[in-house]
Amino acid sequence: MKKSILYLACMAVPLVYSCSGNNSEKKAAVKVDTTVSSECYVAIDALDTANLHLNTSSEGKVTGHLLINYKDKGDNIGEVVGKFSGDTLFVDYTFKIGNANPSIYKNPLAFLKKDGKLILGVGQIETSVGRSYFVKGKPISFDKGRFTFAPEACK
């Protein structure tokens, strides 16, 4: 019985050592994703305004902030996360409506980059398993959008 325990202990040492060696190799393979550009935009539609700040990473990921000030409805304040597909930026917009409402909403948005501007598109959205997305096969219209974002200096 004592010999069995000794044999098991001797066999376990190389196994433990080999597992710990793989962890150090995995840690060395982690890439650092750095911001390569930062852009700011503003859009005005009658009395409503919107400010958009985007950061693009070296991996192509786009993150930022979007604030939409509706004169009659209050503010939508939130974060965008997504990436470009060709000349179209697809993001998930996670936002709150005003400061008094604790609810958090999440909607997909699409922006067409044209002539240095970003045009907010309008498309049919559906929700499945708690996630909203644009309906596949249904076009996103960039002619019907309310906001066209023009570049501005970041503050």
Side-chain angles (χ1 to χ4, degrees), residues 23 68 89 114 120 128 130 132 137 142-143 145 151:
N23 278 345
I68 303 175
L89 173 61
K114 185 176 180 181
L120 180 61
S128 176
S132 297
F142 295 98
D143 297 328

Side-chain angles (χ1 to χ4, degrees), residues 61-141:
K61 182 178 177 182
V62 177
T63 59
H65 310 284
L66 176 59
L67 167 63
I68 303 175
N69 297 316
Y70 293 109
K71 182 183 183 308
D72 295 329
K73 297 181 196 176
D75 298 344
N76 288 1
I77 306 162
E79 307 293 320
V80 294
V81 176
K83 65 179 182 174
F84 272 95
S85 177
D87 59 357
T88 306
L89 173 61
F90 292 96
V91 297
D92 286 321
Y93 179 39
T94 306
F95 63 100
K96 290 175 124 183
I97 299 174
N99 290 328
N101 184 356
S103 299
I104 296 175
Y105 304 92
K106 190 170 190 174
N107 282 331
L109 298 177
F111 298 90
L112 176 66
K113 189 161 194 170
K114 185 176 180 181
D115 300 327
K117 297 180 180 180
L118 292 174
I119 303 165
L120 180 61
V122 176
Q124 186 175 346
I125 297 173
E126 67 182 17
T127 303
S128 176
V129 193
R131 175 147 166 71
S132 297
Y133 55 90
F134 287 109
V135 177
K136 289 186 180 189
K138 299 282 184 173
I140 298 171
S141 173

Side-chain angles (χ1 to χ4, degrees), residues 4-50:
S4 297
I5 294 173
L6 182 62
Y7 288 131
L8 286 174
C10 288
M11 291 174 55
V13 170
L15 180 64
V16 170
Y17 179 74
S18 67
C19 289
S20 65
N22 286 340
N23 278 345
S24 63
E25 290 172 15
K26 287 178 184 176
K27 289 178 184 176
V30 174
K31 292 182 180 179
V32 176
D33 195 14
T34 59
T35 300
V36 293
S37 71
S38 185
E39 301 169 304
C40 295
Y41 297 87
V42 64
I44 301 171
D45 180 55
L47 298 175
D48 300 331
T49 60

